[in-house]
Amino acid sequence: MAEPLPAARRQELSTLLPLWGMAPDRDAIHRAFRFRDFSEAFGFMARVALLAEAQDHHPEWSNVWNRVEITLTTHDAGGLSERDIRLAASIDALLG
Ligand SMILES: C[C@H](O)[C@H](O)[C@H]1CNC2=NC(N)=NC(=O)C2=N1
C-alpha cells in the first residue's frame, strides 16, 4: 500500500519537479510534452511504458499526434505518493 505524500514533501514538488504542475482538479501532477512528430511522441511513450512497468507505477496519459500529456497519481494511495515523484523524475531523465 502506497503512503500519501507528506506535506513537507509536497512543498518540495516545485523544486524537485519544476517542469510539472499540479493537476487542476485532483491530487496529481501533470506535464505536457511536444515532439517533432508522432513517431517521436510514440517513441517517448514506449520508453515511458517500460519505466512504468519496471516501477509498477502507471501514468494516466493522452496523445494527439506530436503531443503527449501525462498525469501521475497513486490510485492505491488516493492521491500523490513518492511513486509519482519517482516516475516523474525518471520521465524527465529520459529527455536529458
Ligand atoms: C497491482 C499493481 O501493482 C497495482 O495496481 C499498481 C499498478 N500501477 C499503479 N499505477 C498508479 N498510478 N497507481 C497505482 O496505485 C498503481 N498500482
Side-chain angles (χ1 to χ4, degrees):
M1 183 68 178
E3 294 301 315
L5 203 62
R9 282 290 275 171
R10 289 174 178 274
Q11 286 157 14
E12 295 173 355
L13 284 176
S14 56
T15 306
L16 289 170
L17 301 169
L19 299 174
W20 294 71
M22 287 305 294
D25 54 352
R26 51 198 294 226
D27 193 25
I29 52 175
H30 175 270
R31 185 180 168 188
F33 304 80
R34 187 167 61 189
F35 299 92
R36 192 174 43 225
D37 53 25
F38 174 75
S39 177
E40 274 218 352
F42 194 77
F44 168 73
M45 293 177 76
R47 297 171 75 197
V48 172
L50 294 176
L51 286 176
E53 280 295 281
Q55 297 181 21
D56 190 29
H57 197 66
H58 301 83
E60 299 174 17
W61 50 358
S62 63
N63 161 242
V64 178
W65 196 61
N66 67 331
R67 293 171 182 266
V68 179
E69 296 211 19
I70 297 182
T71 299
L72 299 178
T73 192
T74 303
H75 308 120
D76 295 345
L80 285 173
S81 77
E82 289 293 342
R83 296 169 69 167
D84 300 303
I85 297 176
R86 179 183 178 212
L87 182 54
S90 302
I91 290 170
D92 289 350
L94 289 177
L95 300 174

